[in-house]
Amino acid sequence: QVRLVESGGGSVLAGGSLRLSCVVSGYGLGSRCMGWFRQAPGKEREGVVVIHRDGRIDYADFVKGRFTISRDNTLSLQMNSLKPEDTAMYYCAASDLGASMCGNLEEYLYWGQGTQVSVSS
């Protein structure tokens, strides 16, 4: 079982920054895909950034150069140059042990409760 708890969301003006944190606990974290996802009202959940089991990191094109993920005791997402279109509920998630398709939303079995990010122009 894996437990994830996000924090750090809030409201900022366009161009501002936020840092999201996700405290992760559970077994075999190094053998799981980990990532940040987001869902805006009326839209499907989408991947923001994932960390593969071998440590490779894949960012969605729409956040490249603006968002940075890091993992130590927590899974953090530094978000800079925020845009109104970044407004969404942000979730951290983990896959089952040994998952390989880390880019697939369906691989993620464990989810946090989400933290809201709102960016105004």
Side-chain angles (χ1 to χ4, degrees):
Q1 187 74 8
V2 177
R3 185 168 183 261
L4 307 103
V5 180
E6 303 99 335
S7 62
S11 298
V12 296
L13 294 175
S17 298
L18 284 172
R19 186 175 181 87
L20 306 183
S21 294
C22 176
V23 177
V24 186
S25 58
Y27 173 76
L29 298 180
S31 297
R32 304 180 188 268
C33 306
M34 303 289 295
W36 283 95
F37 299 79
R38 69 186 189 185
Q39 187 166 17
K43 295 188 176 182
E44 294 185 352
R45 192 167 297 189
E46 61 184 357
V48 175
V49 56
V50 300
I51 300 179
H52 296 259
R53 291 186 292 128
D54 62 4
R56 288 180 296 120
I57 297 173
D58 286 331
Y59 291 94
D61 287 344
F62 52 78
V63 302
K64 282 181 180 178
R66 300 189 298 124
F67 290 12
T68 303
I69 193 171
S70 60
R71 181 171 69 179
D72 40 49
N73 293 325
T74 62
L75 190 68
S76 298
L77 184 66
Q78 178 66 41
M79 305 187 297
N80 299 326
S81 302
L82 283 161
K83 305 176 181 180
E85 52 264 44
D86 293 319
T87 294
M89 185 72 79
Y90 283 71
Y91 301 89
C92 61
S95 72
D96 200 356
L97 286 170
S100 58
M101 304 295 287
C102 297
N104 287 355
L105 191 66
E106 295 74 17
E107 290 281 42
Y108 293 84
L109 302 183
Y110 305 98
W111 294 84
Q113 81 286 355
T115 185
Q116 178 68 39
V117 171
S118 298
V119 185
S120 57
S121 57

